[in-house]
Amino acid sequence: MSSAKARRRQQCEAESHLARLLLGELAAAQGIALPLADWSPRGQAPHHPALPAGFYVSIAHRHGHVLVGLATLPLGLDLEYHNPRHAHDLDARIAMLPTDARKRLAEASHLNETERLDGFYREWVRYEDRVRKTILRVI
């Protein structure tokens, strides 16, 4: 493994650990104890056996930033950042989106490259939200 990949993996591990700590703090503020050791492992949908029925959690982390949520309704968080390199393969990225999102972006084809990229990120976050909520219904 290259040193860059090893650093990225280490960073992801640290972000995931911090996310679970933060979720524990959010839960504690609601009177719910979620010991750190009992969280599902990184790489799996976040789950804790002591999380009461009717509570949902979500984690997103990227490049040193961590976003967590605890709610009484299913939620899906996503954290994206503007990367100018994504503009070079924007059409391929848009092609990965569901049909409804691709249609919305096609209707906005008059936008400049930066605005199209911003639109892609908005649609991608919506898509990730739907996927995560679907996973929560299955768990």
Side-chain angles (χ1 to χ4, degrees):
M1 180 184 305
S2 72
S3 62
K5 283 186 179 181
R7 280 193 308 274
R8 177 67 184 130
R9 180 183 169 109
Q10 186 177 27
Q11 180 180 8
C12 284
E13 291 288 339
E15 291 167 0
S16 180
H17 180 79
L18 177 59
R20 284 157 171 75
L21 283 172
L22 292 171
L23 281 171
E25 289 180 14
L26 279 176
Q30 300 297 318
I32 304 167
L34 301 177
L36 182 61
D38 296 334
W39 280 101
S40 58
R42 183 178 124 51
Q44 295 180 10
H47 174 73
H48 197 288
L51 189 67
F55 278 86
Y56 302 87
V57 297
S58 186
I59 294 174
H61 56 88
R62 189 175 196 91
H63 298 288
H65 300 278
V66 177
L67 181 63
V68 299
L70 172 70
T72 55
L73 294 172
L75 75 155
L77 300 175
D78 192 27
L79 185 59
E80 293 293 335
Y81 69 103
H82 191 274
N83 185 339
R85 290 184 325 189
H86 292 167
H88 299 295
D89 60 353
L90 183 56
D91 289 332
R93 290 178 181 279
I94 289 171
M96 295 185 302
L97 292 168
T99 304
D100 60 328
R102 291 194 311 266
K103 285 180 181 177
R104 282 191 294 275
L105 289 172
E107 292 168 1
S109 61
H110 64 282
L111 300 175
N112 67 39
E113 187 174 88
T114 301
E115 292 168 327
R116 283 187 72 223
L117 188 56
D118 289 344
F120 164 76
Y121 288 130
R122 277 191 302 278
E123 293 296 342
W124 183 259
V125 169
R126 283 185 188 129
Y127 169 67
E128 288 277 321
D129 177 59
R130 283 197 313 245
V131 168
R132 290 177 182 180
K133 285 178 180 174
T134 300
I135 290 170
L136 284 173
R137 284 187 207 108
V138 172
I139 295 176

